[in-house]
Amino acid sequence: MKINLSQFAGFCSGVERAYEIVSALDISKVKKPIYILGSLVHNPEVIRRVEKKGIKKIDYKKLLHSKVGEIGTLIITAHGVGPEVFEIAKKKKIEIIDTTCPKVAKVQRLAQVFSKRKYKIILIGDKGHKEVEGINSWGEKKAKIISSKKDLGKLKFSKNEKIAVISQTTQDIDFFEKAGKFIKKKNSKAEIFSTICYTTHDRQEEIKKMAEKNEAVIVIGSKESANSTRLFEIAKEKNPKTYSVENAGQLKKTWFWGTKKVFITAGASTPSWIIKEVAKKLAFSL
Ligand code: SF4
């Protein structure tokens, strides 16, 4: 079986940066106990490595109700958070290690600036997603979040309203462009900012082509990872023999009967060692 490996598979620069910051952390010099708000990346293997360093996971509710001294240091993941987390940390004397991806930080700034200028912010993104919630918080939680065509159809605004359109970094580029055109048609002055990350864009463009050129597609990534899920959806539309796995152990022989060419890609939160394991298992025909 011929294996075609994505040229973009694996950690994106934002996740790589966050992982390097945490890996290089000298625990002896950091105020303890150390917590991380959510998962560094949606990958169980990476989560285990972080825990091994003595870093525990915490959620927003526990952070909010923690007493002064219960948390020494808080790590913010690449997805970023809203300003309220920094305010809580300040009040509770918690040190912050901020690994927010610079590209996510840029969208947060846009939300903040346009909210202050009294624009209506339309945020194309998945409702409830951590990055989207954080961006919305910087926009004073007033953004209209558009996750589907249905949401778009329900969107109400006048042609004279001041509108800024921004996007979750891992959004589907086609949907973002369609949404932008739809809004612009109704309000020609709407300001559209393409804030989709190129890493995501490149992976999406590649998989559209490769899903048609290969007999089967494997997308490696966690079910919780928005960009892995998006890759899976795009490929599945083009090629019904598209499968999603988190590791090599989840591959099934039956998926590849009679298959001569398979394409492997991975979400931005998938480490290179897992991609290698999957490729190796497939190369030896499982
Ligand atoms: S996908 Fe792009 S925006 Fe998101 S963390 Fe990675 S580099 Fe940053």
Side-chain angles (χ1 to χ4, degrees):
M1 184 158 50
K2 187 166 188 279
I3 291 158
N4 294 312
L5 189 61
S6 160
Q7 54 173 318
F8 307 109
F11 278 176
C12 62
S13 59
V15 170
E16 185 82 50
R17 179 179 170 272
Y19 185 64
E20 273 173 14
I21 293 172
V22 175
S23 301
L25 212 61
D26 182 350
I27 298 295
S28 65
K29 291 186 181 142
V30 181
K31 196 172 162 192
K32 288 179 212 44
I34 315 165
Y35 284 92
I36 184 159
L37 194 56
S39 304
L40 187 66
V41 287
H42 297 302
N43 184 282
E45 181 63 32
V46 175
I47 293 168
R48 266 195 295 279
R49 289 187 182 202
V50 171
E51 281 170 355
K52 251 185 152 182
K53 273 189 92 100
I55 301 167
K56 286 178 248 163
K57 193 169 149 181
I58 196 168
D59 61 25
Y60 179 73
K61 234 183 187 173
K62 283 192 185 143
L63 167 71
L64 189 64
H65 299 298
S66 65
K67 293 191 184 103
V68 175
E70 276 182 352
I71 302 169
T73 302
L74 184 71
I75 301 169
I76 290 165
T77 66
H79 295 105
V81 290
E84 65 282 358
V85 171
F86 293 92
E87 281 154 26
I88 295 169
K90 201 175 168 193
K91 264 191 215 151
K92 302 190 184 206
K93 300 184 175 37
I94 300 169
E95 302 281 336
I96 290 271
I97 295 174
D98 187 2
T99 76
T100 305
C101 173
K103 290 171 191 169
V104 174
K106 184 184 146 192
V107 195
Q108 292 175 343
R109 292 293 85 77
L110 283 170
Q112 187 183 27
V113 165
F114 282 102
S115 168
K116 281 201 177 125
R117 290 192 200 161
K118 307 278 178 237
Y119 272 61
K120 177 181 214 147
I121 296 169
I122 298 173
L123 172 52
I124 313 291
D126 300 332
K127 285 179 194 130
H129 187 276
K130 202 176 163 193
E131 180 191 315
V132 173
E133 296 293 308
I135 295 166
N136 192 20
S137 265
W138 285 100
E140 297 171 88
K141 297 192 179 167
K142 287 188 288 198
K144 285 273 163 213
I145 301 170
I146 303 296
S147 304
S148 62
K149 278 186 200 161
K150 203 173 157 196
D151 291 344
L152 198 58
K154 285 189 200 157
L155 192 61
K156 286 195 177 77
F157 54 88
S158 77
K159 61 177 181 187
N160 299 319
E161 230 171 316
K162 292 198 289 183
I163 288 175
V165 184
I166 54 177
S167 155
Q168 179 182 359
T169 56
T170 47
Q171 260 304 293
D172 176 66
I173 212 142
D174 291 341
F175 180 59
F176 177 75
E177 281 172 1
K178 270 181 203 149
K181 273 184 199 153
F182 176 85
I183 294 162
K184 204 83 179 158
K185 226 176 174 182
K186 295 192 168 193
N187 182 322
S188 60
K189 286 187 190 136
E191 294 187 42
I192 319 270
F193 296 90
S194 176
T195 51
I196 292 178
C197 167
Y198 277 104
T199 311
T200 307
H201 171 76
D202 292 343
R203 280 169 217 246
Q204 289 177 357
E205 288 305 303
E206 183 192 43
I207 205 163
K208 274 180 205 162
K209 288 181 204 136
M210 297 311 274
E212 282 174 347
K213 285 185 183 166
N214 288 267
E215 291 160 68
V217 178
I218 299 295
V219 180
I220 317 166
S222 159
K223 303 256 181 302
E224 288 171 55
S225 155
N227 69 90
S228 302
T229 306
R230 195 86 62 208
L231 285 175
F232 173 76
E233 288 166 353
I234 294 171
K236 189 84 181 168
E237 243 182 57
K238 309 249 174 209
N239 187 332
K241 282 181 85 175
T242 296
Y243 307 100
S244 157
V245 295
E246 286 185 0
N247 52 54
Q250 292 176 352
L251 291 167
K252 290 193 180 128
K253 261 189 180 174
T254 50
W255 294 345
F256 307 100
W257 280 340
T259 303
K260 290 197 180 72
K261 259 198 307 183
V262 58
F263 178 64
I264 302 176
T265 190
S269 51
T270 307
S272 55
W273 66 85
I274 292 182
I275 300 167
K276 275 184 202 153
E277 278 166 18
V278 170
K280 203 169 151 194
K281 196 162 180 197
L282 275 174
F284 290 103
S285 295
L286 307 170

